[in-house]
Structure formats: C-alpha cells, structure tokens
Amino acid sequence: MAVSKCTRLNGPLIKQMFDSVDSVLFDCDGVIWRGDQTIPGAPDVINLLKKNGKNVFFVTNNSTKTRKMYADKLALMGFNATEDEVFGTAYCSAMYLKHVSKLQGKVYLIGSNAMRQELEKVGIQQTGVGPDPISGVQIDWANVPLDPEVKAVVVGFDEHFSYMKLNRALQYLNNPDCLLVGTNTDTRLPLEGGKAVPGTGCILKAVETAAQRQAQTVGKPNHFMYDCVASQFGLDRARCLMVGDRLDTDILLGSNCGLKTLLTLTGVSTVADAEAHQESGCPKRLGMVPDYYVESIAELLPALQG
C-alpha cells in the first residue's frame, strides 16, 4: 500500500489494510482495556476479526499474570480468546530459558508467582519469590547464602523488591556463567487519571547497575516475543499487524520484526510523539513511527461489520 508513515486509518483504507494481513497482534493495557475497564468496542473488534478468519494474538510485557490468568480476564470481558493466543513476558521468559538458553539449573527469580508458575510448567525450578528481609551488616550481606544450583537471575515485576534481593542478585551474578534475563524495560506503569508507578525497567536497571552486566530482555520491543508467536503458529511477518499504544515497545517491536504497525491513542503515546520521532531523522526513533493510527480500535468496527 503506497501510503506515508503515521497515516490516519479510516474509510476504505481500513479494509485495504485488513486485506493485506492474516494475523493481528494486540497489546492489552491501553489498547483493549485500561486496568479493569474494557475499551468500548474492543471485544467486538477482536471477535469480528476472528469471525472474518484472522489470527489474533495478545502480546503483553506484564509479567504478573500467567497465560491462563490473561485468558480468564479476556473471557470475563467478552473477548473470544484462548490461553494459547496469549504471550506475556512470564511465559516468554520461560520459553527463552528452556529453548534458547537451554538452562540446566535453577533460577533466582525477582518476580511474581505468575512467573514462578510459568517457569515450573516447563520444568524450571526457582527460588526468591516473596519478601527477603534484611539482617546483619555489610559483610554478612556480601556472604549471603546462595543456592549452588542457580544458573540464572531472572528479573520481572516484583512488589517485594528490596535491597537484599538486589544484593542477592549481585552475589549470583558475580559468577560470569550465571545468566541475567529481564522480562522488559518499561520504566513506568501508567494508571488511570494520569498517575503512574515504577515499572519493571527500574528494577532491572538496578540489578544491571549492581552487577555491571546487561540483561537479555525477552519482552517488547525485543523480537523474541514475536518469535515466540511466529514459531508456534507459522506466521508470515509480511502479513502481520502489530496494534499498540506505546511507540517505544509495541510499535518498535513491529518495526524490529518487519510487521505493519497501528498506534491506538487510548493509552500512552500520542500522534505528536510519533511525528517528533518522524521529524528527528534518527534511525532508531524512526522505528517508533507507526504506519497508521486511530483514536481507538473501535474505529475499525464499521469496516469489519461491513
């Protein structure tokens, strides 16, 4: 389709775009829901896409839920979705360790129970979930007991993150053979009313800084998240569309993987943000310019209903 980047998607162009794709990857928060509130029209869009023969997948950097938890939430909100269509960073981290790193050993996990469950599903044992209170003095911290079977430190969102967890990660990572894997680098989690809380990226940066190591991340915009979907479902990247609300994760993932990209304005990023990237001329920033944008994915409904 001979259109310029960052084009408003409407009218006949919507049908033209959908005719060019077989599979659509959706981010979740800010795209199909906000918190526990469905974006109006989103379930109809998803369900009609499937009815029209499109493959639909849900790709999220949230590491606090298992695939099943996401599938249950989707069903409760009226989306026609199955567990195997959900790709979160808890699941993708387990896939990375199992099939790419071929980990032989345990994980020291800075993360959630959901991550623990996804790791255990593929036979990877972990230690570290839950609070880790501090005691003793600095020399005690430097000699904290370590599990000799731990071969990787994995960092996701952890509401119990603490100085002792940071210290324990450092002690494991003093071994150069110990892997460091992060779920994602999102620094802030946007909430309703313009509020935000620190995201996983803050925790991961602390661990990287202490260990003087850089993590391998599996979430958006890293191509591994798309690879997870593509390897299981045989996707053709030339006929895939990535739909998201964040330029630095969703849209950049699409660009990194050669997918068509659609920005929805119901979440974090704005058209002004995209235009600033476009005008910058910087190659990395150009990767954050979407092919198309809509105010909300509900704008796709008329074309799908017709």
Side-chain angles (χ1 to χ4, degrees):
M1 289 174 286
V3 294
S4 61
K5 296 276 276 186
C6 207
T7 297
R8 176 66 186 264
L9 191 61
N10 53 26
L13 192 57
I14 299 177
K15 183 180 184 306
Q16 189 181 354
M17 188 272 296
F18 276 129
D19 285 345
S20 73
V21 301
D22 301 319
S23 303
V24 188
L25 286 69
F26 285 93
D27 176 48
C28 295
D29 204 14
V31 176
I32 61 174
W33 62 55
R34 287 195 203 92
D36 292 320
Q37 299 295 315
T38 309
I39 299 287
D44 295 327
V45 169
I46 301 294
N47 299 343
L48 280 169
L49 279 170
K50 293 185 132 188
K51 188 178 177 182
N52 293 344
K54 305 298 182 186
N55 303 310
V56 174
F57 304 98
F58 306 92
V59 290
T60 171
N61 274 356
N62 188 328
S63 64
T64 65
K65 290 182 173 63
T66 63
R67 302 179 95 188
K68 185 179 185 308
M69 291 163 71
Y70 258 99
D72 290 346
K73 179 173 181 175
L74 285 158
L76 194 63
M77 289 182 158
F79 294 91
N80 172 14
T82 60
E83 189 176 333
D84 65 349
E85 294 166 340
V86 177
F87 290 80
T89 50
Y91 172 76
C92 289
S93 297
M95 290 295 100
Y96 181 83
L97 291 167
K98 182 78 173 175
H99 299 295
V100 179
S101 299
K102 301 189 186 303
L103 183 73
Q104 300 292 321
K106 289 184 185 176
V107 160
Y108 175 60
L109 178 59
I110 296 175
S112 62
N113 270 312
M115 293 186 69
R116 175 183 60 78
Q117 291 172 42
E118 295 288 18
L119 288 169
E120 289 177 351
K121 274 185 185 175
V122 298
I124 297 174
Q125 291 182 290
Q126 60 73 45
T127 179
V129 171
D132 190 357
I134 199 163
S135 62
V137 294
Q138 289 178 347
I139 192 64
D140 301 313
W141 306 340
N143 291 287
V144 69
L146 301 177
D147 186 332
E149 294 182 48
V150 165
K151 305 299 181 189
V153 172
V154 178
V155 182
F157 185 79
D158 189 344
E159 62 190 25
H160 299 294
F161 185 62
S162 63
Y163 182 84
M164 187 49 74
K165 288 197 171 193
L166 177 61
N167 171 67
R168 208 176 291 272
L170 164 59
Q171 305 310 326
Y172 280 119
L173 291 165
N174 278 334
N175 175 359
D177 295 327
C178 185
L179 301 174
L180 175 56
V181 176
T183 56
N184 62 290
T185 58
D186 301 43
T187 54
R188 289 158 66 95
L189 301 177
L191 304 174
E192 291 85 353
K195 295 185 179 297
V197 294
T200 302
C202 300
I203 300 173
L204 181 58
K205 182 60 74 176
V207 174
E208 288 180 325
T209 303
Q212 298 180 355
R213 301 257 301 267
Q214 186 163 4
Q216 171 64 51
T217 56
V218 300
K220 299 173 290 184
N222 189 293
H223 64 84
F224 182 75
M225 184 161 261
Y226 170 77
D227 293 344
C228 266
V229 188
S231 64
Q232 292 183 33
F233 290 90
L235 305 188
D236 175 0
R237 67 183 65 228
R239 294 190 61 81
C240 288
L241 172 70
M242 177 68 217
V243 185
D245 69 305
R246 294 182 71 127
L247 299 174
D248 60 342
T249 55
D250 305 318
I251 302 306
L252 188 54
L253 170 75
S255 297
N256 286 342
C257 297
L259 319 180
K260 298 175 181 67
T261 54
L262 172 62
L263 174 71
T264 176
L265 304 178
T266 47
V268 173
S269 298
T270 66
V271 173
D273 295 332
E275 289 173 342
H277 288 315
Q278 191 167 27
E279 290 162 10
S280 73
C282 167
K284 183 175 179 182
R285 292 183 66 183
L286 289 174
M288 291 185 269
V289 181
D291 294 314
Y292 310 102
Y293 72 90
V294 288
E295 290 291 331
S296 162
I297 64 167
E299 293 182 12
L300 306 176
L301 264 179
L304 293 170
Q305 290 167 332

